[in-house]
Amino acid sequence: MEREQLYQLIDLQPEIVERLHKTGKEMDLKQAEPWLEGMLEGERAARSYDGLKELLGEDADQIKMLYCQLECARRAYDGYREKQIEESIYRDTMKCFPRFLGECRRRNGRMYFDRGWWTWRQISMRLFRIGALEYEFAEHEGGNAIAIHIPSDADLSWEAVEDSLKQAGLFFQAYYPEYEYEKYTCDSWLLSPALQPFLASDSHILSFRNRFTILREENESRDYMEWLFRVPADTAYEKLPEETSLQRQVKELLLQGGNTGTAYGMMEAGAGASRPGT
């Protein structure tokens, strides 16, 4: 896949494309090649990201890192073709780039790349977007597992989550039959039991959380700040938005000295879920 084809396929923002064109004219990727190759391999991807970051040095708005990671995403297309994974999954997975850029603009008022520390997972074919959710090779209690991640644009309705889980089961069976796993895990603010008093019985968040057995809680975590309120994590509580009922209730809790935290949960792979209200 050519670079311009990738940009169009994932609907990369035009202003970012323009900056990438300029960066491409100024960069020589030869020095970066070992790190680019490494980011395409799951075992080396995280270390290669660190090495590339050090190599790039000063990098205004992390545009050089974005250019390099999109080069890796372009090359990863061959890996998808080799496994005969449908292009729609490639497209949906790599759309993390414009999604993260858009989220950054909503939080900070301008667009820059602040997720390079995360997106090596997508380009190394360690993490896939399948329907509403993302799925990553992981471990649980020393054994293979699949970690579920919840994109900011995920549809958490019972139907959408159920469909995504079924698709994921078929995906790993078809393309990674050698990877045997029995557990799905999830580490998220959406699983926090502290949210329950704020959620209606037909809440999509509650429906999603009830699929998991909660194994531990992190009561001090404030990871939800950027996801629930879509603001920088250090925003003063008094300035938090109140556009939704959940925002209003969590903001009130914070102003009273409380916190919702996050939780880590597990569910059996292939386990069916009862539709809420049945």
Side-chain angles (χ1 to χ4, degrees):
M1 175 172 290
E2 298 299 323
R3 185 174 285 272
E4 291 301 319
Q5 289 177 296
L6 172 63
Y7 295 169
Q8 293 178 16
L9 182 68
I10 64 176
D11 296 323
L12 197 63
Q13 292 89 342
E15 63 189 90
I16 292 296
V17 172
E18 184 176 345
R19 295 188 67 180
L20 290 171
H21 285 161
K22 181 179 179 181
T23 299
K25 294 175 182 178
E26 299 170 349
M27 281 195 70
D28 181 356
L29 292 179
K30 290 181 181 178
Q31 282 188 303
E33 192 59 35
W35 309 122
L36 299 181
E37 291 179 359
M39 279 198 296
L40 290 168
E41 300 177 13
E43 296 295 324
R44 298 169 53 201
R47 295 191 303 274
S48 295
Y49 163 74
D50 291 336
L52 179 61
K53 185 176 180 180
E54 182 177 355
L55 175 68
L56 293 177
E58 184 177 348
D59 185 6
D61 291 348
Q62 297 294 299
I63 294 298
K64 289 189 289 185
M65 176 61 76
L66 178 60
Y67 183 87
C68 289
Q69 290 206 359
L70 287 170
E71 169 62 19
C72 291
R74 184 187 70 79
R75 298 181 189 185
Y77 185 72
D78 291 338
Y80 275 74
R81 292 187 66 184
E82 183 177 339
K83 279 190 166 289
Q84 298 183 328
I85 299 173
E86 54 257 49
E87 187 174 283
S88 62
I89 291 180
Y90 172 83
R91 178 199 63 215
D92 292 348
T93 299
M94 298 308 171
K95 275 193 168 185
C96 66
F97 288 99
R99 186 176 77 246
F100 287 146
L101 289 162
E103 290 167 0
C104 178
R105 178 162 52 191
R106 286 192 294 271
R107 285 192 308 271
N108 303 290
R110 67 186 188 88
M111 194 156 43
Y112 55 91
F113 186 50
D114 62 354
R115 285 294 184 273
W117 56 271
W118 179 261
T119 44
W120 57 262
R121 294 166 170 82
Q122 283 86 346
I123 57 184
S124 65
M125 296 178 67
R126 177 187 174 92
L127 182 155
F128 303 90
R129 175 79 181 259
I130 305 173
L133 304 170
E134 292 176 328
Y135 299 84
E136 180 183 6
F137 294 114
E139 292 185 1
H140 175 74
E141 296 181 346
N144 288 344
I146 297 292
I148 293 177
H149 303 293
I150 309 154
S152 60
D153 60 353
D155 178 355
L156 289 184
S157 66
W158 185 90
E159 293 84 359
V161 171
E162 193 73 4
D163 181 65
S164 177
L165 289 168
K166 289 178 180 177
Q167 287 186 53
L170 294 172
F171 174 88
F172 289 107
Q173 184 180 39
Y175 302 116
Y176 294 93
E178 73 284 359
Y179 187 81
E180 298 180 0
Y181 66 98
E182 298 180 351
K183 312 288 186 185
Y184 285 118
T185 66
C186 185
D187 191 351
S188 173
W189 68 277
L190 292 171
L191 268 59
S192 173
L195 288 177
Q196 186 158 348
F198 307 143
L199 302 174
S201 59
D202 61 351
S203 162
H204 291 168
I205 294 175
L206 186 61
S207 170
F208 180 79
R209 173 186 170 273
N210 286 344
R211 293 174 182 269
F212 294 86
T213 299
I214 304 303
L215 301 180
R216 65 173 181 265
E217 300 176 45
E218 296 182 28
N219 297 321
E220 300 304 313
S221 173
R222 284 177 164 74
D223 288 350
Y224 57 85
M225 288 288 285
E226 70 173 278
W227 304 116
L228 173 58
F229 295 104
R230 298 187 176 186
V231 297
D234 59 355
T235 300
Y237 295 155
E238 293 81 3
K239 297 182 179 180
L240 293 175
E242 301 181 37
E243 298 170 1
T244 69
S245 173
L246 186 57
Q247 285 180 342
R248 290 191 292 272
Q249 292 178 94
V250 173
K251 178 179 179 178
E252 182 62 26
L253 177 66
L254 293 172
L255 290 171
Q256 293 175 0
N259 192 37
T260 62
T262 62
Y264 176 83
M266 179 275 296
M267 71 172 168
E268 300 291 334
S274 298
R275 184 187 295 267
T278 62

